[in-house]
Amino acid sequence: MQIINPATEEIITSIEEDTIDSIHQKYELLKNGQLHWSKIALSERIAAISRFYDLLDAEKEELALTLTNEMGKPIQQSLNEINGARGRIKYFIDHSEKYLAEEWITIDGATKEKIVYEPLGVVANISAWNYPYLVGVNVFIPALIGGNAVLYKPSEYTSLTGLHIQRLLHKAGIPENCFQAVIGKGNVGAALLQLPLKGYYFTGSYKTGKSIAETVAGKLVPCQLELGGKDPLYVMDDVEDINKIADDVLEGVVYNSGQSCCAVERVYVHEKIYDAFIAAVTAACKKLKVGNPLEKGMDMGPLSRKEQPQFLLAQIKDAISKGATCVSGGNIINTKGYFLEPTILTNVNHSMDLMMEESFGPVIGIQKVKDDAEAIALMLDTAYGLTASVYSKSKERAESVMQEMNTGTVYWNCCDRVSATLPWSGRKNSGLGSTLSFQGIRTFVQPKAYHLRG
Ligand code: NAD
């Protein structure tokens, strides 16, 4: 399989893909290893993860370079991602003992009762490319701490990063028979669905996630899905610093070239401040630096996948054909690499794909609304349910909108953020189940109820 640099279109290297045979061998290896791993003291499993945490720091420059070269994010954003992933790992290191310890529920009377948390067995982690460290550690770190073995399928667009992760976990002391990466495209992911695994943990698109859930349904094992979004953001008329908010919103749109599951994908602005907001956000957009992601100070690199600029251009053209106005960007950049100008469209509405389908790129539609009720109705008009954001001076007014949202996460005066201490979950087409927080520790274990007499 060729690894292509999306900024230059050059071949970085070629690597071996896994075959059905090699996948079976890896599964057999893990099946035996998991039995041993689950018997090791929890503190020892956590100690190995702590060494991985240190190794990520020690090698961060090289890891960031690999990540930028294979998926195109600006080098500082690659470093930020590795640091962010370490923050999440630290949460798991510090909190897993508490949430995995046996819990005494009834200690008086004839029948004593307790809960013990047991691992599931060998589980699959089928992962995405946009934040390979962040979305990976959400799954394989608590899964390993919980005593499971993991078959880890990095995206074909971040396979070199996946191999770094495997190398560093093994170096940290996670046994080879507890963690194995499988390399390849969708067919390799699909091969994992044929194995008798004890859980499927997927991060990726709605289309793939739904087909995985359907395929493994008959196994009656956990199948957890972290999928896409069409996340709305509403700016109320009482906000004070429009320029600051415009910068904030724009960052939520273009960070990682807009390839974030919780990127801002639709913006609604109260009519009283609409013109001022459009002027501020357009001015900020025109200042963004797009180019070589290895150069310091770049706001945006290329998109990661070759077909994505054309996909986004089709959304832009569809919107313009239905009456939208392009006030910034709108074009593929005519150079080597998969670059698109950061793009803002106004006069948009919900008949346009741009406002209904996940864009996953640096493109945003901004719609004028007359009041909070109209904003709420439009925010709710979606098949997705990952995050929703409100900017307002008034906590009460913002809360009245947040309470109405059918999303796993809501934000007041912020957007496009994930916290290790809060559950990360999507509703509707954005997914099923939670990672992160104490819920994301217990996701990878099963409770056993003890009834004890005597
Ligand atoms: P994708 O669905 O194309 O691929 C995800 C993974 O599934 C890859 O490893 C791929 O090789 C594998 N795969 C593809 N077909 C398969 C099949 N039939 N069976 C098994 N595995 C298969 O998604 P992507 O392009 O890698 O990721 C982008 C999507 O992920 C976006 O929609 C984004 O919003 C979403 N995402 C969601 C979250 C979240 O936390 N909710 C986080 C990151 C990304």
Side-chain angles (χ1 to χ4, degrees):
M1 189 169 71
Q2 287 183 339
I3 310 293
I4 311 280
N5 182 329
T8 62
E9 297 182 49
E10 284 163 7
I11 300 170
I12 301 172
T13 184
S14 291
I15 56 172
E16 282 287 311
E17 280 185 71
D18 270 282
T19 62
I20 297 291
D21 278 353
S22 70
I23 292 169
H24 274 270
Q25 281 164 15
K26 287 178 180 179
Y27 168 67
E28 288 300 329
L29 184 73
L30 295 183
K31 206 168 69 170
N32 294 325
Q34 191 270 328
L35 294 175
H36 181 65
W37 180 242
S38 65
K39 303 279 184 297
I40 288 178
L42 179 56
S43 57
E44 275 186 51
R45 299 202 294 261
I46 293 174
I49 296 300
S50 297
R51 291 190 290 274
F52 176 67
Y53 170 85
D54 292 337
L55 286 169
L56 282 179
D57 193 43
E59 296 199 15
K60 63 173 183 271
E61 305 291 338
E62 186 195 340
L63 302 177
L65 190 59
T66 302
L67 181 55
T68 289
N69 282 337
E70 70 177 338
M71 70 72 70
K73 70 177 73 189
I75 191 74
Q76 186 56 48
Q77 294 187 17
S78 289
L79 286 164
N80 295 352
E81 179 176 346
I82 294 164
N83 284 334
R86 291 182 73 243
R88 294 189 190 180
I89 295 170
K90 184 83 172 74
Y91 172 81
F92 291 124
I93 291 171
D94 291 344
H95 295 85
S96 292
E97 299 234 34
K98 176 175 169 199
Y99 292 110
L100 296 179
E102 67 174 28
E103 269 181 273
W104 281 100
I105 305 299
T106 311
I107 50 172
D108 298 323
T111 309
K112 313 272 189 291
E113 297 174 323
K114 68 172 182 178
I115 306 170
V116 170
Y117 294 99
E118 297 185 343
L120 301 166
V122 183
V123 298
N125 175 195
I126 302 176
S127 205
W129 48 265
N130 58 333
Y131 289 98
Y133 286 100
L134 290 172
V135 300
V137 303
N138 286 2
V139 174
F140 63 71
I141 295 293
L144 287 168
I145 289 178
N148 304 281
V150 180
L151 257 184
Y152 169 59
K153 156 77 179 76
S155 163
E156 54 271 39
Y157 297 101
T158 47
S159 301
L160 300 178
T161 292
L163 290 169
H164 273 313
I165 286 172
Q166 170 171 258
R167 178 176 62 76
L168 293 180
L169 281 169
H170 291 165
K171 193 170 170 187
I174 302 293
E176 291 193 10
N177 61 10
C178 285
F179 185 91
Q180 284 289 322
V182 289
I183 297 299
K185 302 185 180 146
N187 58 322
V188 166
L192 301 186
L193 313 182
Q194 303 308 318
L195 296 172
L197 301 179
K198 299 300 185 220
Y200 288 86
Y201 295 87
F202 174 77
T203 309
S205 62
Y206 163 70
K207 186 166 164 264
T208 311
K210 182 168 179 280
S211 104
I212 288 177
E214 286 167 353
T215 306
V216 303
K219 293 179 194 280
L220 301 185
V221 297
C223 176
Q224 184 158 306
L225 309 170
E226 297 200 337
L227 310 177
K230 191 70 195 168
D231 296 0
L233 181 148
Y234 172 35
V235 189
M236 290 183 175
D237 54 330
D238 63 356
V239 293
E240 277 169 344
D241 190 345
I242 288 185
N243 287 328
K244 155 98 184 50
I245 294 169
D247 285 348
D248 227 33
V249 172
L250 190 63
E251 192 182 8
V253 174
V254 303
Y255 194 82
N256 206 27
S257 296
Q259 304 167 124
S260 306
C261 52
C262 53
V264 176
E265 288 253 345
R266 304 178 275 151
V267 177
Y268 305 97
V269 182
H270 195 285
E271 61 186 9
K272 283 192 191 147
I273 55 152
Y274 182 79
D275 290 342
F277 182 82
I278 296 293
V281 78
T282 307
C285 189
K286 289 185 193 294
K287 284 192 206 136
L288 290 174
K289 284 178 77 183
V290 185
N292 179 357
L294 292 173
E295 228 172 78
K296 257 189 148 183
M298 269 313 153
D299 296 300
M300 262 179 51
L303 292 150
S304 301
R305 293 169 301 170
K306 189 175 185 178
E307 61 279 10
Q308 198 62 4
Q310 285 299 342
F311 171 83
L312 292 167
L313 200 59
Q315 278 196 347
I316 294 168
K317 284 185 174 161
D318 170 72
I320 291 172
S321 77
K322 290 172 180 161
T325 311
C326 183
V327 294
S328 188
N331 300 302
I332 289 178
I333 300 174
N334 189 14
T335 172
K336 276 270 175 222
Y338 315 142
F339 290 93
L340 181 87
E341 292 172 347
T343 299
I344 299 176
L345 293 145
T346 58
N347 294 322
V348 294
N349 62 55
H350 280 210
S351 74
M352 301 168 184
D353 290 349
L354 175 74
M355 298 302 277
M356 300 307 284
E357 304 294 333
E358 188 178 44
S359 300
F360 222 54
V363 180
I364 191 73
I366 307 180
Q367 185 165 353
K368 190 192 285 187
V369 293
K370 64 177 185 312
D371 55 23
D372 296 357
E374 186 184 10
I376 291 171
L378 289 167
M379 291 168 94
L380 288 174
D381 180 26
T382 175
Y384 292 99
L386 194 57
T387 81
S389 176
V390 189
Y391 279 72
S392 170
K393 199 167 78 175
S394 157
K395 181 159 169 277
E396 289 67 39
R397 206 174 141 195
E399 246 166 7
S400 70
V401 174
M402 290 191 280
Q403 280 159 7
E404 295 299 317
M405 294 296 108
N406 191 10
T407 54
T409 293
V410 285
Y411 304 114
W412 176 41
N413 291 338
C414 56
C415 60
D416 188 25
R417 79 184 289 276
V418 180
S419 163
T421 53
L422 292 173
W424 185 243
S425 63
R427 297 184 184 177
K428 303 197 283 180
N429 288 0
S430 293
L432 201 62
S434 306
T435 53
L436 298 174
S437 79
F438 76 92
Q439 321 228 20
I441 295 173
R442 295 239 175 105
T443 290
F444 301 93
V445 288
Q446 47 193 340
K448 183 182 274 179
Y450 280 69
H451 304 238
L452 303 167
R453 270 186 202 165

